[in-house]
Amino acid sequence: MSEQNGLAALARQVAVLEERMETMNERYDKGWALLREDLAKRDVEMAKRDVELAKRDRNMSIQIYAVAFGIVAVMIGIGGTIISLLV
C-alpha cells in the first residue's frame, strides 16, 4: 500500500509539474506574440522614417544644386562685369 501511495503522490507531482509547464508555455507564447507585434510596429515606424529621410535627402540635394547654380551665376556675372570694364 505504501508503494501505491508513493505512486499516487508521484502522479500528483507529475500532474502539478505538467500544469506548471503548460502555464509557462502559455506565458512564453504570449511573450513571443507581443514581441512579434512590437517588431511589426517597429518595422512600420522604420519604413515611415526611411520615407521621411529620403524626402529630406532629395530636398537637401535640390538646395545644394540651387546654391551651386547661384554661385556659378554670380561668378559668371562678376566675370562678365570685370571683362566689360576692361574692354
Side-chain angles (χ1 to χ4, degrees):
M1 282 251 227
S2 67
E3 189 174 315
Q4 287 180 349
N5 288 340
L7 289 176
L10 186 58
R12 279 194 303 270
Q13 287 178 348
V14 168
V16 169
L17 289 175
E18 286 177 348
E19 187 176 330
R20 285 184 188 170
M21 192 168 58
E22 287 298 320
T23 302
M24 291 305 294
N25 283 338
E26 288 174 9
R27 285 184 186 173
Y28 288 141
D29 291 342
K30 287 179 185 176
W32 283 113
L34 290 173
L35 180 61
R36 279 188 222 98
E37 184 180 325
D38 288 346
L39 290 175
K41 286 179 185 176
R42 185 208 57 183
D43 290 344
V44 169
E45 289 177 12
M46 292 299 288
K48 287 179 185 177
R49 286 184 194 163
D50 288 345
V51 169
E52 289 175 13
L53 288 176
K55 287 180 184 177
R56 286 183 194 167
D57 288 346
R58 187 177 66 234
N59 290 341
M60 179 85 63
S61 296
I62 291 170
Q63 290 173 356
I64 289 171
Y65 287 127
V67 168
F69 179 76
I71 290 171
V72 169
V74 168
M75 288 173 56
I76 291 173
I78 291 173
T81 303
I82 291 174
I83 291 174
S84 69
L85 291 175
L86 293 177
V87 174

